Amino acid sequence: MYILYRIKKSIKFLVYGLWRDIGIFFVFLAEYLRFRKRSGERFSIRLRDLYPCLEDRTVNTPFDQHYIYHPAWAARVLAQTRPEKHIDISSILSFSTTVSAFVPMEFYDYRPADVQLSALHCGKADLLQLPFGDNSVQSISCMHTIEHVGLGRYGDPLDPDGDLKAIRELKRVVAPGGDLLFVTPVGKPAIHFNAHRVYGYAQIMEYFEGMELKDFSLVPDTGGLINAATKEQADAQRFGCGCFWFKKSD
C-alpha cells in the first residue's frame, strides 16, 4: 500500500506539482531581473548569492497544529503550577529552551541535545530506564514521544510494548502530589509502523490508572485547541493531539 501511495504521489507531482514549480520559478526569475534593475549601489547582486525561496508566498503563516499548540498548552500549565524545577523527557526541544526563561529546566533525550542556555540542563536518558528514583520528580513532561517508543524509528530497539514500559517509568518517578504532562496522538487506535501509534482516549486513561486527570485538552483534526475536551471529541479524531495533565495522589 505504501509503494502504491508513493507512486500515486509521484504521478500527481509530475502532472501538477512540476508545472506549478516551473511557473513559480519563472515568476522568481522575472522578479529577480526587475529587482536588480531597480537596485542602487548599497548591495552587489550576484548570481552566486541567489537563495530562491519559492514556497513562502502564502496567505496565512503556516504552522504544525500539534507542535504549536501542545507546547503552548504545557507552558500555560507550568505558568500555573510554577514548579521549582521541571524535567522534560524527549519532547520538542524548543519547549525546554523557551520555558527555561521562567522555570529551571532539565531536558533528557535518547539522543542528547548540545544546547547551552542558562537555567537549562541537557542530558542523555533512556525513557525505559529513567535516571531518577521512585516518587522523586515533582514536575515532569513527556510530549509527543511515547507513540514512537519501540518502533525503531530513531534507532531504538524494536519492542511492541515499549510504550507501556515507558509509561510505567513515568508513573514510577512522579512524586506524590507531582504533575505529569503527557501528550500523544489520539483517535481510533492504530499503529502506523514505523512512524507512530494512535491511542484511544480510554487506552490512555487505563494506562495511567491511579493518577488523577487534572485537564484534558485536544488539538482536533480541524486545528485549534479545545480546552476541557471530552472523550467523545478525542475518539472522533483521525490524528488528534491529546494533552493530558495527570497528578499523582499524595
Side-chain angles (χ1 to χ4, degrees):
M1 291 298 292
Y2 179 73
I3 294 175
L4 289 175
Y5 166 75
R6 295 301 304 181
I7 292 174
K8 184 178 178 182
K9 191 169 182 180
S10 297
I11 292 174
K12 186 176 180 180
F13 171 75
L14 287 173
V15 172
Y16 301 106
L18 182 59
W19 290 111
R20 183 204 62 182
D21 289 352
I22 290 173
I24 292 174
F25 176 76
F26 276 105
V27 169
F28 162 80
L29 187 62
E31 290 188 341
Y32 163 68
L33 293 173
R34 287 203 309 273
F35 184 84
R36 190 176 68 171
K37 187 175 181 180
R38 292 167 57 184
S39 293
E41 300 297 324
R42 285 198 309 126
F43 294 96
S44 60
I45 301 179
R46 301 171 296 192
L47 280 175
R48 68 186 185 200
D49 292 332
L50 285 181
Y51 195 125
C53 296
L54 308 179
E55 303 290 336
D56 298 337
R57 197 168 295 193
T58 58
V59 175
N60 297 312
T61 300
F63 64 91
D64 185 301
Q65 296 282 333
H66 284 209
Y67 283 91
I68 288 296
Y69 280 116
H70 88 253
W73 167 82
R76 281 158 175 75
V77 173
L78 294 183
Q80 179 180 338
T81 59
R82 288 283 178 176
E84 292 184 3
K85 178 182 71 176
H86 182 77
I87 293 175
D88 181 78
I89 310 296
S90 303
S91 305
I92 187 168
L93 181 58
S94 58
F95 170 69
S96 290
T97 58
T98 303
V99 172
S100 65
F102 63 90
V103 174
M105 293 285 296
E106 293 183 12
F107 170 81
Y108 296 93
D109 195 279
Y110 191 73
R111 305 169 301 169
D114 184 16
V115 177
Q116 308 297 326
L117 280 174
S118 62
L120 174 65
H121 167 76
C122 294
K124 178 179 175 64
D126 183 348
L127 188 46
L128 302 181
Q129 292 180 307
L130 292 175
F132 312 116
D134 295 354
N135 304 312
S136 64
V137 179
Q138 194 63 41
S139 183
I140 189 170
S141 56
C142 184
M143 303 187 294
H144 242 312
T145 301
I146 214 85
E147 66 271 20
H148 307 296
V149 178
L151 300 185
R153 175 175 172 179
Y154 298 103
D156 51 312
L158 294 176
D159 185 349
D161 293 329
D163 56 337
L164 300 180
K165 294 173 182 175
I167 287 172
R168 283 198 289 272
E169 272 296 274
L170 291 169
K171 294 174 67 176
R172 177 184 69 78
V173 302
V174 178
D179 296 302
L180 167 61
L181 307 182
F182 180 81
V183 172
T184 196
V186 294
K188 185 178 180 181
I191 288 185
H192 302 286
F193 187 84
N194 64 357
H196 51 251
R197 302 175 180 86
V198 179
Y199 298 91
Y201 178 91
Q203 283 181 301
I204 298 301
M205 295 305 295
E206 178 187 347
Y207 299 157
F208 286 93
E209 185 178 8
M211 301 190 78
E212 176 191 359
L213 181 65
K214 294 286 293 183
D215 178 61
F216 172 64
S217 293
L218 173 70
V219 181
D221 294 335
T222 52
L225 179 67
I226 302 174
N227 293 120
T230 65
K231 173 183 182 300
E232 289 71 25
Q233 288 173 312
D235 290 343
Q237 308 306 312
R238 182 184 61 84
F239 187 68
C241 180
C243 305
F244 300 80
W245 173 11
F246 291 109
K247 183 176 281 292
K248 196 171 194 175
S249 301
D250 290 321

